[in-house]
Amino acid sequence: MAAAEGTDDKHSHTTAILVASAAAIGGFLFGYDTSVINGAVAAIQREFEISSVTLGFVVSSALLGAMVGAWFAGPLANRLGRVRVMVIAAIIFLISAIGSALAVHPVDLTIWRVLGGLGVGAASVIAPAYIAEIAPAKLRGRLGSLQQLAIVAGIFVALLVDYIIADVSGGASEETPWGGTAWRWMFASGAVPAVIYGIMALQIPESPRYLVSKNELTKAKDVLKRLIGGNVDGRIREIQRSLRSDKPVRLSDLRGPVLGLLGIVWVGILLSVFQQFVGINVIFYYSSVLWEAVGFDSNNSMLISVITSVTNIVTTVIAIMLVDRIGRKPLLMAGAAIMTVSLGTMAVVFASAPLVENAQGEMQPELQGVAGPIALVAANLFVFGFGCSWGPVVWVLLGEMFGNRIRASALALAAGAQWLANWAVSTTFPWLSEKGLGLAYGLYAGFAFLAFFFVWRAVRETKGRELEDMDNPAAARA
């Protein structure tokens, strides 16, 4: 009998992994959208003849849409179901990819990017929430990390596609052999993962917690048997108990004594903000332009960006292996320490580099001697520190740290804060880089340093706990 139960558990865990992997493809869209513009940045600026400030807004405009999409994804998911929202997100991203490729002006490009952000923002909230709701407790950290693995895979594929298109065309501003400018095909390529995500979303079951909330108990039991195995009646009763006080998503659900919000909500918001304020998306939005600025040619700059994204994938796999063994908090603290050192090194290298005039008459830092390799190693060490900690672990925590009653609204608010912080960093980087890359990286190093102490004092470990346990009032206090 024990052997049979063990076999059933193994089968259900395999099913849970496959279902979570399909849901995590929403993270792939997130990562793809984050980096597909990387190879197009310089070409867009040249074609539309826009300033660095305007360029920063165009590049980061998708994040404004993502912030809105993240907030409304929660109420929509509670009304329509998790799977339907995934399909809607895929359709929106598909339309955005095609529209961005056909843009004729910075204004309509910005509009299409904002529209795509709506889909990406919705997917960024639904995927971790769905995975947390279908995953067995012993696997939840690893399965939650699949979201970040999908994100970094999306980043890698987008950068690789950019590199191939630019290499075949002779540059992002050049005509491709099959017609049309290279940077437009970079955007158009986003249609492929959007279609795949939509198809995969239609193949997975609805969240058992959503089904219980709609009183579809038979369907919920069937899903739980497939994903968890064994006798699921007790789990159904636990979900019913935790959902009895469930209400429509409102900010009023999150009110508390700490500056108007519950302490646990502030922890989620600050985790999201610190994740972005260390400057990770500067690497993935502007890395090609950055490496061109310090002496690498266009193709080599894109190739370096591809290599950096591979580092990100490898470190995320490491995090998936460790998150349920070591725990969430130790990984976050270790990652913050690594990022502080690597960003501090980059700040010193760029601050001390001599300025030289480029072909456009602009003054840019020139990394001489060993400074170039040191900067490259430090950048990849920074990606390593982020990839094995703050990248995946923050998404895991956001999916599991809130009680059932407030999960949708708290996760939506935290994700919205994350996208807003991402937008702030991405928009200000072109301006900051003109003031000096040493200043920019020094600022990000300071935030990484603060993040270490924030985790040490405010973040509680969630490893191995059932989601229903988060409804305990003690777990809702920071």
Side-chain angles (χ1 to χ4, degrees):
M1 184 66 178
E5 289 179 354
T7 302
D8 287 345
D9 285 346
K10 185 175 181 180
H11 173 74
S12 60
H13 288 173
T14 301
T15 303
I17 292 169
L18 293 175
V19 170
S21 299
I25 296 176
F28 189 94
L29 291 187
F30 178 0
Y32 203 95
D33 185 68
T34 295
S35 283
V36 74
I37 199 169
N38 189 307
V41 169
I44 290 170
Q45 186 171 27
R46 283 193 290 267
E47 178 154 338
F48 294 135
E49 298 179 347
I50 53 179
S51 68
S52 60
V53 174
T54 304
L55 177 67
F57 186 81
V58 172
V59 169
S60 61
S61 58
L63 305 176
L64 296 176
M67 182 176 62
V68 176
W71 173 248
F72 285 102
L76 281 175
N78 285 341
R79 177 175 296 182
L80 303 177
R82 281 56 165 158
V83 170
R84 286 193 183 98
V85 173
M86 291 181 197
V87 174
I88 291 170
I91 294 171
I92 291 173
F93 191 79
L94 173 63
I95 295 171
S96 168
I98 297 171
S100 297
L102 299 175
V104 296
H105 191 274
V107 172
D108 70 310
L109 176 57
T110 300
I111 292 172
W112 291 118
R113 293 280 295 159
V114 170
L115 179 65
L118 290 172
V120 171
S124 75
V125 169
I126 296 305
Y130 176 87
I131 292 170
E133 289 176 351
I134 62 95
K138 66 175 69 174
L139 295 177
R140 198 174 59 240
R142 277 168 282 179
L143 295 185
S145 298
L146 290 176
Q147 163 84 348
Q148 182 65 19
L149 181 60
I151 291 172
V152 298
I155 290 171
F156 166 72
V157 173
L159 291 172
L160 183 61
V161 168
D162 282 359
Y163 173 73
I164 292 172
I165 292 174
D167 187 54
V168 169
S169 307
S173 299
E174 304 301 321
E175 291 287 315
T176 65
W178 48 88
T181 313
W183 69 265
R184 295 183 182 277
W185 280 99
M186 293 175 185
F187 283 124
S189 66
V192 176
V195 171
I196 293 173
Y197 180 49
I199 292 173
M200 293 299 292
L202 291 171
Q203 309 305 312
I204 62 178
E206 185 52 83
S207 159
R209 284 177 175 79
Y210 170 77
L211 293 172
V212 171
S213 73
K214 298 301 179 182
N215 206 33
E216 298 183 30
L217 302 185
T218 301
K219 290 183 180 179
K221 288 179 182 180
D222 290 342
V223 173
L224 284 172
K225 285 177 182 177
R226 288 174 57 192
L227 301 176
I228 299 175
N231 188 343
V232 299
D233 289 338
R235 291 296 302 276
I236 292 290
R237 287 192 293 272
E238 288 176 4
I239 294 172
Q240 287 176 316
R241 174 186 57 79
S242 66
L243 291 175
R244 282 191 190 111
S245 59
D246 213 18
K247 301 179 294 183
V249 179
R250 298 189 186 100
L251 280 175
S252 59
D253 296 340
L254 311 180
R255 286 178 183 164
V258 184
L259 297 176
L261 294 174
L262 294 170
I264 192 67
V265 176
W266 276 117
V267 172
I269 289 172
L270 290 173
L271 277 171
S272 295
V273 170
F274 276 122
Q275 187 199 52
Q276 298 303 316
F277 274 13
V278 297
I280 185 63
N281 282 312
V282 165
I283 296 292
F284 296 118
Y285 286 150
Y286 296 106
S287 59
S288 295
V289 174
L290 173 65
W291 296 120
E292 280 187 55
V294 295
F296 294 95
D297 64 34
S298 176
N299 276 6
N300 283 335
S301 295
M302 286 192 186
L303 185 58
I304 291 171
S305 297
V306 172
I307 294 170
T308 300
S309 70
V310 172
T311 301
N312 205 10
I313 292 175
V314 172
T315 54
T316 301
V317 172
I318 293 172
I320 291 173
M321 295 169 61
L322 297 178
V323 67
D324 282 323
R325 297 181 183 179
I326 294 178
R328 287 65 161 151
K329 187 169 181 174
L331 282 176
L332 288 177
M333 293 178 66
I338 293 171
M339 290 189 295
T340 300
V341 172
S342 55
L343 286 167
T345 300
M346 292 176 73
V348 171
V349 167
F350 282 110
S352 58
L355 297 177
V356 297
E357 187 175 335
N358 64 14
Q360 288 74 42
E362 301 168 338
M363 300 303 293
Q364 293 179 333
E366 182 180 75
L367 302 186
Q368 301 173 339
V370 297
I374 289 175
L376 190 57
V377 170
N380 280 280
L381 181 61
F382 166 56
V383 172
F384 172 85
F386 182 88
C388 69
S389 60
W390 283 78
V393 175
V394 168
W395 286 110
V396 172
L397 278 170
L398 291 180
E400 66 186 11
M401 66 189 290
F402 306 115
N404 273 331
R405 186 178 65 82
I406 67 168
R407 180 173 299 113
S409 51
L411 181 52
L413 185 60
Q418 183 175 120
W419 287 108
L420 181 60
N422 191 340
W423 175 80
V425 170
S426 303
T427 303
T428 56
F429 178 73
W431 177 81
L432 273 176
S433 64
E434 288 181 351
K435 302 298 179 184
L437 288 171
L439 171 64
Y441 286 115
L443 187 63
Y444 304 146
F447 282 117
F449 181 74
L450 292 175
F452 177 91
F453 291 98
F454 167 71
V455 173
W456 177 44
R457 295 299 302 272
V459 175
R460 292 188 173 186
E461 187 59 68
T462 57
K463 182 181 72 171
R465 298 177 63 187
E466 293 289 351
L467 292 186
E468 284 69 35
D469 296 338
M470 305 304 174
D471 286 312
N472 186 322
R477 291 193 295 267

